[in-house]
Amino acid sequence: MLESGVAPMSTESVTGLTQRLYHEARLLDAERFEDWLEFMCNDVTYRMELKRRRFRADRSPPAAVGVGVVFNENLARLKLRIDRLRSGFVWAEDPPNFVRRVVSNVEVERADAENEAIVHSVIVIHRNRIDGLTRVLTAGRSDRWRMHADGWKLAAREIALDHAVLPDSNINVFF
Amino acid sequence: MDVSGLVDTATGRQSRAIYSSEELYRQELERIFGRCWLFLVHTSQIPEAGDYFRTFMGEDDVIVIRQKGGTIKAFLNSCTHRGNRICRSDRGNAKAFTCNYHGWSFAPDGSLSAVPLEKEAYFGELDRSRLGLVPVAHVAEYKGLVFGCFDADPPSLEDYLGDAKFFLDVWLDAMPGGTSLVGETQKMVLASNWKLPVENVCGDGYHLGWAHAGAMRAVQSLDLAGLSVGNSSTDLDGGLSVAGLNGHMALTSLDGVSGYAFYPKPKPMLDYLEFNRPQVIERLGKVRGEQLWGSQINITIFPNLQFLPGLNWFRVYHPKGPGQIEQWTWAMVENDMPAEIQAAILDNQCLTFGLAGLFDNDDGDNLAACTEQSRGWRTAQMDVFTNMALNRSGPREGFPGDIAAGLVSEHNQRYFYRRWQEHMQADNWAGVPTYNINSVVAEETINA
């Protein structure tokens, strides 16, 4: 059972949140960014930290100032990225790349707040790019979703990218 | 291989073969990456004894290690027994580096400190003193930047950098506290020849308003020498393309603030500049203190180091064959900056030129396609051109270098390829000319 040992979420919540992740993936595959933003809480945080490769016994202290990020977005910054993608000047996306997200390993946990849930998942983003070559990005995600009058909305997403060296020339995709 | 016909500086022509030929690439590893001073690490990245940082010199894997007593040494990351890589971590702190294969162990000073079964299997006949890690021939520091050189007899690092120090100091020595690189290394594989991103950043203001139009539209908050979305205008009085400095270059605006043009909220940075400018003028003089510190400046140290005060990214390109590189980026800060400005810089650097950088993500495909379009049977025989603003350069009072007006020019790129050709033609350093044109401290010096 779940690590927390507390009572599991209702089947209805698990199904609803799982469906929301699949729906989200389909919206992003279709570049329906504005529809995707409808599922964001106003105070959403969307983060991906940089990866590091260290010996298990490493003795060095954490990086001063911070490790740095790939994404450190709030709602306004997500909109900024979408503005760029919508500008008509992002040549790397024209013709459009063939992008397909596979979402799996969905695990739903209770959160401290009554109206929230923690959702873990794995996402694989398969991109067949303009050069004809395919790149695959894999990441784990830990989300906090919040129930609103019109359903579950994303309050926070922490994305752990599984690549120390990005195997592509851009990340013009959302996870 | 004779490269005299592959680059013509006078007309701004390069053969596309220089981006695809395997033979030329091997020659570059020997004559450029095997000969030039290459950036290894910033001292801020290995502050304590035992701190190490793994990097590359050309395709050679290198570990840079802070020694007891504070000096810095660099070694090939290869066991002297069977050649295995001894350090697999990006960075960290260690008392010893032990090879996975047979357990040979090396101390941070490179000495071979332990060999399993030394008495039993080697019969005590192994001379460990001759089997330490192989050091990089020369390691030297310039104001926090640590460089290594494989060549036995190179010019000093100071001489190698030459008058480029005039521009380096605008970042490295403007404030008394010095600078740091912050954050983890942002690593990306690009299917590009290594020269193309260097060429792009060293002088190509031309691409900015077109290739990055989407990002400029999204985040630009200040004017930058009249550069505009869609390349509809440019102001040639607002910037300089500076070259003729031993193959190093600067591309700079002159307003003292536009480095922060691509911060959505630049006010805290502008306040910092305003508050500290008198001190910087005192340290660097009026020209640099008023016109350069705070401006958008692209600084290139030949062959593969580039950093941009303002946008505050710092980058090296490691070649991985003629058609591939690993691009490594860090954010850079002045140590005197308040913590919240440092944090904002790291965040904005990641936003604009990080792995998902709004600007950076525009360049990769262009560079990759330029590389690919030099590989075909027919395209490899063709030329490409950097012939904008030919013969329109000269001296400019207060600045070193041969200078063309404006950020939009291909003046710097021509000097970059000239330097490439000079190195590729020369058998050794004695055959490589030294030039710091229009030196501000002395008359033009050319010691060919």
Side-chain angles (χ1 to χ4, degrees), chain B residues 33 38-40 54-63 85 150 187 304 316-320 326 328:
Chain B
F33 293 93
L38 303 175
F39 174 76
L40 298 178
R54 195 178 143 209
T55 187
F56 290 88
M57 294 174 66
E59 291 211 37
D60 287 304
D61 198 329
V62 165
I63 333 175
R85 187 181 294 121
F150 282 133
K187 298 183 181 179
N304 66 336
V316 288
Y317 312 93
H318 299 303
K320 306 283 177 189
E326 248 180 61
W328 289 13

PDB file of all heavy atoms in Angstrom, chain B residues 33 38-40 54-63 85 150 187 304 316-320 326 328:
ATOM      1  N   PHE B  33      42.999  22.666 -29.660  1.00  0.00           N
ATOM      2  CA  PHE B  33      42.709  22.234 -28.284  1.00  0.00           C
ATOM      3  C   PHE B  33      43.952  21.664 -27.593  1.00  0.00           C
ATOM      4  O   PHE B  33      44.050  21.695 -26.378  1.00  0.00           O
ATOM      5  CB  PHE B  33      41.556  21.223 -28.283  1.00  0.00           C
ATOM      6  CG  PHE B  33      40.255  21.849 -28.692  1.00  0.00           C
ATOM      7  CD1 PHE B  33      39.841  21.826 -30.022  1.00  0.00           C
ATOM      8  CD2 PHE B  33      39.477  22.515 -27.773  1.00  0.00           C
ATOM      9  CE1 PHE B  33      38.666  22.436 -30.414  1.00  0.00           C
ATOM     10  CE2 PHE B  33      38.293  23.131 -28.151  1.00  0.00           C
ATOM     11  CZ  PHE B  33      37.886  23.096 -29.478  1.00  0.00           C
ATOM     12  N   LEU B  38      42.992  26.586 -22.359  1.00  0.00           N
ATOM     13  CA  LEU B  38      41.562  26.260 -22.343  1.00  0.00           C
ATOM     14  C   LEU B  38      41.005  26.493 -20.940  1.00  0.00           C
ATOM     15  O   LEU B  38      41.647  26.139 -19.946  1.00  0.00           O
ATOM     16  CB  LEU B  38      41.342  24.792 -22.734  1.00  0.00           C
ATOM     17  CG  LEU B  38      41.902  24.366 -24.084  1.00  0.00           C
ATOM     18  CD1 LEU B  38      41.715  22.856 -24.277  1.00  0.00           C
ATOM     19  CD2 LEU B  38      41.223  25.126 -25.227  1.00  0.00           C
ATOM     20  N   PHE B  39      39.809  27.039 -20.871  1.00  0.00           N
ATOM     21  CA  PHE B  39      39.177  27.256 -19.568  1.00  0.00           C
ATOM     22  C   PHE B  39      38.901  25.916 -18.889  1.00  0.00           C
ATOM     23  O   PHE B  39      38.357  24.999 -19.504  1.00  0.00           O
ATOM     24  CB  PHE B  39      37.866  28.027 -19.717  1.00  0.00           C
ATOM     25  CG  PHE B  39      37.119  28.152 -18.421  1.00  0.00           C
ATOM     26  CD1 PHE B  39      37.536  29.056 -17.456  1.00  0.00           C
ATOM     27  CD2 PHE B  39      36.022  27.343 -18.146  1.00  0.00           C
ATOM     28  CE1 PHE B  39      36.875  29.151 -16.239  1.00  0.00           C
ATOM     29  CE2 PHE B  39      35.352  27.440 -16.933  1.00  0.00           C
ATOM     30  CZ  PHE B  39      35.780  28.342 -15.978  1.00  0.00           C
ATOM     31  N   LEU B  40      39.263  25.820 -17.614  1.00  0.00           N
ATOM     32  CA  LEU B  40      39.022  24.593 -16.850  1.00  0.00           C
ATOM     33  C   LEU B  40      37.903  24.768 -15.822  1.00  0.00           C
ATOM     34  O   LEU B  40      36.976  23.972 -15.758  1.00  0.00           O
ATOM     35  CB  LEU B  40      40.297  24.163 -16.108  1.00  0.00           C
ATOM     36  CG  LEU B  40      41.519  23.811 -16.951  1.00  0.00           C
ATOM     37  CD1 LEU B  40      42.692  23.448 -16.038  1.00  0.00           C
ATOM     38  CD2 LEU B  40      41.208  22.659 -17.898  1.00  0.00           C
ATOM     39  N   ARG B  54      35.345  18.000 -12.766  1.00  0.00           N
ATOM     40  CA  ARG B  54      35.701  17.220 -13.946  1.00  0.00           C
ATOM     41  C   ARG B  54      35.308  17.989 -15.207  1.00  0.00           C
ATOM     42  O   ARG B  54      34.194  18.489 -15.308  1.00  0.00           O
ATOM     43  CB  ARG B  54      34.960  15.889 -13.894  1.00  0.00           C
ATOM     44  CG  ARG B  54      35.510  14.881 -14.841  1.00  0.00           C
ATOM     45  CD  ARG B  54      34.752  13.568 -14.689  1.00  0.00           C
ATOM     46  NE  ARG B  54      34.617  12.989 -16.000  1.00  0.00           N
ATOM     47  CZ  ARG B  54      33.630  12.209 -16.388  1.00  0.00           C
ATOM     48  NH1 ARG B  54      32.675  11.901 -15.540  1.00  0.00           N
ATOM     49  NH2 ARG B  54      33.595  11.738 -17.596  1.00  0.00           N
ATOM     50  N   THR B  55      36.239  18.098 -16.150  1.00  0.00           N
ATOM     51  CA  THR B  55      35.909  18.816 -17.383  1.00  0.00           C
ATOM     52  C   THR B  55      36.642  18.167 -18.554  1.00  0.00           C
ATOM     53  O   THR B  55      37.165  17.051 -18.433  1.00  0.00           O
ATOM     54  CB  THR B  55      36.238  20.318 -17.248  1.00  0.00           C
ATOM     55  OG1 THR B  55      35.762  20.999 -18.409  1.00  0.00           O
ATOM     56  CG2 THR B  55      37.718  20.577 -17.067  1.00  0.00           C
ATOM     57  N   PHE B  56      36.667  18.847 -19.681  1.00  0.00           N
ATOM     58  CA  PHE B  56      37.334  18.332 -20.870  1.00  0.00           C
ATOM     59  C   PHE B  56      38.265  19.386 -21.448  1.00  0.00           C
ATOM     60  O   PHE B  56      37.990  20.583 -21.368  1.00  0.00           O
ATOM     61  CB  PHE B  56      36.316  17.923 -21.942  1.00  0.00           C
ATOM     62  CG  PHE B  56      35.527  16.706 -21.562  1.00  0.00           C
ATOM     63  CD1 PHE B  56      34.350  16.836 -20.837  1.00  0.00           C
ATOM     64  CD2 PHE B  56      35.965  15.432 -21.874  1.00  0.00           C
ATOM     65  CE1 PHE B  56      33.626  15.722 -20.447  1.00  0.00           C
ATOM     66  CE2 PHE B  56      35.260  14.306 -21.499  1.00  0.00           C
ATOM     67  CZ  PHE B  56      34.084  14.451 -20.780  1.00  0.00           C
ATOM     68  N   MET B  57      39.376  18.910 -22.003  1.00  0.00           N
ATOM     69  CA  MET B  57      40.228  19.760 -22.838  1.00  0.00           C
ATOM     70  C   MET B  57      40.217  19.088 -24.204  1.00  0.00           C
ATOM     71  O   MET B  57      40.814  18.020 -24.378  1.00  0.00           O
ATOM     72  CB  MET B  57      41.642  19.839 -22.272  1.00  0.00           C
ATOM     73  CG  MET B  57      41.698  20.548 -20.911  1.00  0.00           C
ATOM     74  SD  MET B  57      43.339  20.504 -20.138  1.00  0.00           S
ATOM     75  CE  MET B  57      44.315  21.514 -21.279  1.00  0.00           C
ATOM     76  N   GLY B  58      39.489  19.685 -25.153  1.00  0.00           N
ATOM     77  CA  GLY B  58      39.211  18.956 -26.381  1.00  0.00           C
ATOM     78  C   GLY B  58      38.390  17.730 -26.027  1.00  0.00           C
ATOM     79  O   GLY B  58      37.364  17.837 -25.348  1.00  0.00           O
ATOM     80  N   GLU B  59      38.851  16.566 -26.442  1.00  0.00           N
ATOM     81  CA  GLU B  59      38.130  15.338 -26.061  1.00  0.00           C
ATOM     82  C   GLU B  59      38.790  14.649 -24.880  1.00  0.00           C
ATOM     83  O   GLU B  59      38.399  13.537 -24.512  1.00  0.00           O
ATOM     84  CB  GLU B  59      38.031  14.379 -27.265  1.00  0.00           C
ATOM     85  CG  GLU B  59      37.103  14.910 -28.357  1.00  0.00           C
ATOM     86  CD  GLU B  59      36.392  13.811 -29.128  1.00  0.00           C
ATOM     87  OE1 GLU B  59      36.005  12.795 -28.526  1.00  0.00           O
ATOM     88  OE2 GLU B  59      36.250  13.981 -30.359  1.00  0.00           O
ATOM     89  N   ASP B  60      39.808  15.261 -24.304  1.00  0.00           N
ATOM     90  CA  ASP B  60      40.496  14.656 -23.168  1.00  0.00           C
ATOM     91  C   ASP B  60      39.804  15.015 -21.859  1.00  0.00           C
ATOM     92  O   ASP B  60      39.597  16.188 -21.541  1.00  0.00           O
ATOM     93  CB  ASP B  60      41.964  15.110 -23.130  1.00  0.00           C
ATOM     94  CG  ASP B  60      42.777  14.451 -24.229  1.00  0.00           C
ATOM     95  OD1 ASP B  60      42.779  13.208 -24.287  1.00  0.00           O
ATOM     96  OD2 ASP B  60      43.380  15.174 -25.046  1.00  0.00           O
ATOM     97  N   ASP B  61      39.489  13.960 -21.117  1.00  0.00           N
ATOM     98  CA  ASP B  61      38.772  14.059 -19.846  1.00  0.00           C
ATOM     99  C   ASP B  61      39.786  14.473 -18.764  1.00  0.00           C
ATOM    100  O   ASP B  61      40.839  13.852 -18.620  1.00  0.00           O
ATOM    101  CB  ASP B  61      38.213  12.659 -19.570  1.00  0.00           C
ATOM    102  CG  ASP B  61      37.095  12.616 -18.559  1.00  0.00           C
ATOM    103  OD1 ASP B  61      37.086  13.451 -17.650  1.00  0.00           O
ATOM    104  OD2 ASP B  61      36.253  11.715 -18.681  1.00  0.00           O
ATOM    105  N   VAL B  62      39.469  15.536 -18.028  1.00  0.00           N
ATOM    106  CA  VAL B  62      40.436  16.138 -17.102  1.00  0.00           C
ATOM    107  C   VAL B  62      39.777  16.348 -15.733  1.00  0.00           C
ATOM    108  O   VAL B  62      38.592  16.684 -15.664  1.00  0.00           O
ATOM    109  CB  VAL B  62      40.915  17.498 -17.687  1.00  0.00           C
ATOM    110  CG1 VAL B  62      41.615  18.339 -16.652  1.00  0.00           C
ATOM    111  CG2 VAL B  62      41.810  17.271 -18.902  1.00  0.00           C
ATOM    112  N   ILE B  63      40.529  16.123 -14.661  1.00  0.00           N
ATOM    113  CA  ILE B  63      40.046  16.480 -13.318  1.00  0.00           C
ATOM    114  C   ILE B  63      40.892  17.643 -12.810  1.00  0.00           C
ATOM    115  O   ILE B  63      42.128  17.585 -12.863  1.00  0.00           O
ATOM    116  CB  ILE B  63      40.223  15.381 -12.248  1.00  0.00           C
ATOM    117  CG1 ILE B  63      40.235  13.992 -12.842  1.00  0.00           C
ATOM    118  CG2 ILE B  63      39.185  15.510 -11.151  1.00  0.00           C
ATOM    119  CD1 ILE B  63      40.533  12.933 -11.795  1.00  0.00           C
ATOM    120  N   ARG B  85      38.773   5.442 -16.678  1.00  0.00           N
ATOM    121  CA  ARG B  85      38.429   6.736 -16.088  1.00  0.00           C
ATOM    122  C   ARG B  85      38.437   6.553 -14.570  1.00  0.00           C
ATOM    123  O   ARG B  85      37.849   5.591 -14.067  1.00  0.00           O
ATOM    124  CB  ARG B  85      37.042   7.126 -16.577  1.00  0.00           C
ATOM    125  CG  ARG B  85      36.584   8.493 -16.200  1.00  0.00           C
ATOM    126  CD  ARG B  85      35.177   8.758 -16.723  1.00  0.00           C
ATOM    127  NE  ARG B  85      35.148   8.804 -18.179  1.00  0.00           N
ATOM    128  CZ  ARG B  85      34.415   8.003 -18.942  1.00  0.00           C
ATOM    129  NH1 ARG B  85      33.647   7.111 -18.412  1.00  0.00           N
ATOM    130  NH2 ARG B  85      34.453   8.116 -20.247  1.00  0.00           N
ATOM    131  N   PHE B 150      47.963  22.094 -22.712  1.00  0.00           N
ATOM    132  CA  PHE B 150      48.724  20.863 -22.940  1.00  0.00           C
ATOM    133  C   PHE B 150      50.085  21.144 -23.575  1.00  0.00           C
ATOM    134  O   PHE B 150      50.970  20.300 -23.551  1.00  0.00           O
ATOM    135  CB  PHE B 150      47.960  19.932 -23.895  1.00  0.00           C
ATOM    136  CG  PHE B 150      46.831  19.177 -23.257  1.00  0.00           C
ATOM    137  CD1 PHE B 150      45.581  19.122 -23.866  1.00  0.00           C
ATOM    138  CD2 PHE B 150      47.011  18.474 -22.065  1.00  0.00           C
ATOM    139  CE1 PHE B 150      44.540  18.384 -23.296  1.00  0.00           C
ATOM    140  CE2 PHE B 150      45.981  17.741 -21.497  1.00  0.00           C
ATOM    141  CZ  PHE B 150      44.738  17.698 -22.118  1.00  0.00           C
ATOM    142  N   LYS B 187      24.087  21.174 -18.957  1.00  0.00           N
ATOM    143  CA  LYS B 187      24.748  20.458 -20.049  1.00  0.00           C
ATOM    144  C   LYS B 187      23.749  20.045 -21.118  1.00  0.00           C
ATOM    145  O   LYS B 187      22.695  19.504 -20.807  1.00  0.00           O
ATOM    146  CB  LYS B 187      25.427  19.196 -19.514  1.00  0.00           C
ATOM    147  CG  LYS B 187      26.513  19.448 -18.495  1.00  0.00           C
ATOM    148  CD  LYS B 187      27.166  18.137 -18.086  1.00  0.00           C
ATOM    149  CE  LYS B 187      28.246  18.380 -17.047  1.00  0.00           C
ATOM    150  NZ  LYS B 187      28.884  17.120 -16.622  1.00  0.00           N
ATOM    151  N   ASN B 304      37.177  28.379 -27.099  1.00  0.00           N
ATOM    152  CA  ASN B 304      35.846  27.843 -26.788  1.00  0.00           C
ATOM    153  C   ASN B 304      35.234  28.356 -25.488  1.00  0.00           C
ATOM    154  O   ASN B 304      34.367  27.699 -24.938  1.00  0.00           O
ATOM    155  CB  ASN B 304      35.896  26.312 -26.733  1.00  0.00           C
ATOM    156  CG  ASN B 304      36.754  25.811 -25.577  1.00  0.00           C
ATOM    157  OD1 ASN B 304      37.627  26.512 -25.097  1.00  0.00           O
ATOM    158  ND2 ASN B 304      36.505  24.589 -25.147  1.00  0.00           N
ATOM    159  N   VAL B 316      31.313  27.020 -21.931  1.00  0.00           N
ATOM    160  CA  VAL B 316      32.343  26.390 -22.765  1.00  0.00           C
ATOM    161  C   VAL B 316      31.675  25.346 -23.650  1.00  0.00           C
ATOM    162  O   VAL B 316      30.617  24.806 -23.311  1.00  0.00           O
ATOM    163  CB  VAL B 316      33.478  25.717 -21.955  1.00  0.00           C
ATOM    164  CG1 VAL B 316      34.376  26.737 -21.315  1.00  0.00           C
ATOM    165  CG2 VAL B 316      32.925  24.748 -20.927  1.00  0.00           C
ATOM    166  N   TYR B 317      32.321  25.077 -24.776  1.00  0.00           N
ATOM    167  CA  TYR B 317      31.843  24.052 -25.699  1.00  0.00           C
ATOM    168  C   TYR B 317      32.915  22.980 -25.782  1.00  0.00           C
ATOM    169  O   TYR B 317      34.075  23.289 -26.080  1.00  0.00           O
ATOM    170  CB  TYR B 317      31.619  24.633 -27.095  1.00  0.00           C
ATOM    171  CG  TYR B 317      30.820  25.921 -27.086  1.00  0.00           C
ATOM    172  CD1 TYR B 317      31.473  27.158 -27.043  1.00  0.00           C
ATOM    173  CD2 TYR B 317      29.433  25.912 -27.104  1.00  0.00           C
ATOM    174  CE1 TYR B 317      30.759  28.340 -27.023  1.00  0.00           C
ATOM    175  CE2 TYR B 317      28.712  27.096 -27.098  1.00  0.00           C
ATOM    176  CZ  TYR B 317      29.380  28.302 -27.059  1.00  0.00           C
ATOM    177  OH  TYR B 317      28.671  29.479 -27.040  1.00  0.00           O
ATOM    178  N   HIS B 318      32.536  21.738 -25.514  1.00  0.00           N
ATOM    179  CA  HIS B 318      33.479  20.633 -25.622  1.00  0.00           C
ATOM    180  C   HIS B 318      33.196  19.872 -26.914  1.00  0.00           C
ATOM    181  O   HIS B 318      32.090  19.359 -27.097  1.00  0.00           O
ATOM    182  CB  HIS B 318      33.329  19.689 -24.425  1.00  0.00           C
ATOM    183  CG  HIS B 318      33.614  20.344 -23.111  1.00  0.00           C
ATOM    184  ND1 HIS B 318      34.814  20.967 -22.839  1.00  0.00           N
ATOM    185  CD2 HIS B 318      32.864  20.482 -21.991  1.00  0.00           C
ATOM    186  CE1 HIS B 318      34.782  21.446 -21.602  1.00  0.00           C
ATOM    187  NE2 HIS B 318      33.615  21.175 -21.073  1.00  0.00           N
ATOM    188  N   PRO B 319      34.193  19.789 -27.798  1.00  0.00           N
ATOM    189  CA  PRO B 319      33.956  19.082 -29.061  1.00  0.00           C
ATOM    190  C   PRO B 319      33.848  17.583 -28.841  1.00  0.00           C
ATOM    191  O   PRO B 319      34.552  17.016 -27.998  1.00  0.00           O
ATOM    192  CB  PRO B 319      35.203  19.427 -29.890  1.00  0.00           C
ATOM    193  CG  PRO B 319      36.273  19.672 -28.871  1.00  0.00           C
ATOM    194  CD  PRO B 319      35.569  20.296 -27.684  1.00  0.00           C
ATOM    195  N   LYS B 320      32.951  16.954 -29.573  1.00  0.00           N
ATOM    196  CA  LYS B 320      32.748  15.495 -29.515  1.00  0.00           C
ATOM    197  C   LYS B 320      32.670  14.973 -30.943  1.00  0.00           C
ATOM    198  O   LYS B 320      31.662  14.396 -31.358  1.00  0.00           O
ATOM    199  CB  LYS B 320      31.442  15.163 -28.771  1.00  0.00           C
ATOM    200  CG  LYS B 320      31.296  15.773 -27.388  1.00  0.00           C
ATOM    201  CD  LYS B 320      32.125  15.040 -26.343  1.00  0.00           C
ATOM    202  CE  LYS B 320      31.998  15.723 -24.988  1.00  0.00           C
ATOM    203  NZ  LYS B 320      32.950  15.163 -24.015  1.00  0.00           N
ATOM    204  N   GLU B 326      29.248  19.180 -26.572  1.00  0.00           N
ATOM    205  CA  GLU B 326      28.504  19.357 -25.337  1.00  0.00           C
ATOM    206  C   GLU B 326      28.673  20.804 -24.927  1.00  0.00           C
ATOM    207  O   GLU B 326      29.804  21.303 -24.831  1.00  0.00           O
ATOM    208  CB  GLU B 326      29.043  18.439 -24.228  1.00  0.00           C
ATOM    209  CG  GLU B 326      28.051  17.356 -23.847  1.00  0.00           C
ATOM    210  CD  GLU B 326      28.572  16.443 -22.754  1.00  0.00           C
ATOM    211  OE1 GLU B 326      28.865  16.906 -21.642  1.00  0.00           O
ATOM    212  OE2 GLU B 326      28.696  15.250 -23.057  1.00  0.00           O
ATOM    213  N   TRP B 328      28.281  23.548 -22.090  1.00  0.00           N
ATOM    214  CA  TRP B 328      28.179  23.650 -20.631  1.00  0.00           C
ATOM    215  C   TRP B 328      28.007  25.113 -20.248  1.00  0.00           C
ATOM    216  O   TRP B 328      28.811  25.966 -20.636  1.00  0.00           O
ATOM    217  CB  TRP B 328      29.456  23.129 -19.955  1.00  0.00           C
ATOM    218  CG  TRP B 328      29.643  21.644 -20.034  1.00  0.00           C
ATOM    219  CD1 TRP B 328      28.965  20.757 -20.831  1.00  0.00           C
ATOM    220  CD2 TRP B 328      30.592  20.876 -19.276  1.00  0.00           C
ATOM    221  NE1 TRP B 328      29.447  19.480 -20.606  1.00  0.00           N
ATOM    222  CE2 TRP B 328      30.433  19.523 -19.669  1.00  0.00           C
ATOM    223  CE3 TRP B 328      31.548  21.206 -18.325  1.00  0.00           C
ATOM    224  CZ2 TRP B 328      31.204  18.511 -19.122  1.00  0.00           C
ATOM    225  CZ3 TRP B 328      32.327  20.195 -17.788  1.00  0.00           C
ATOM    226  CH2 TRP B 328      32.143  18.851 -18.187  1.00  0.00           C
TER     227      TRP B 328
END
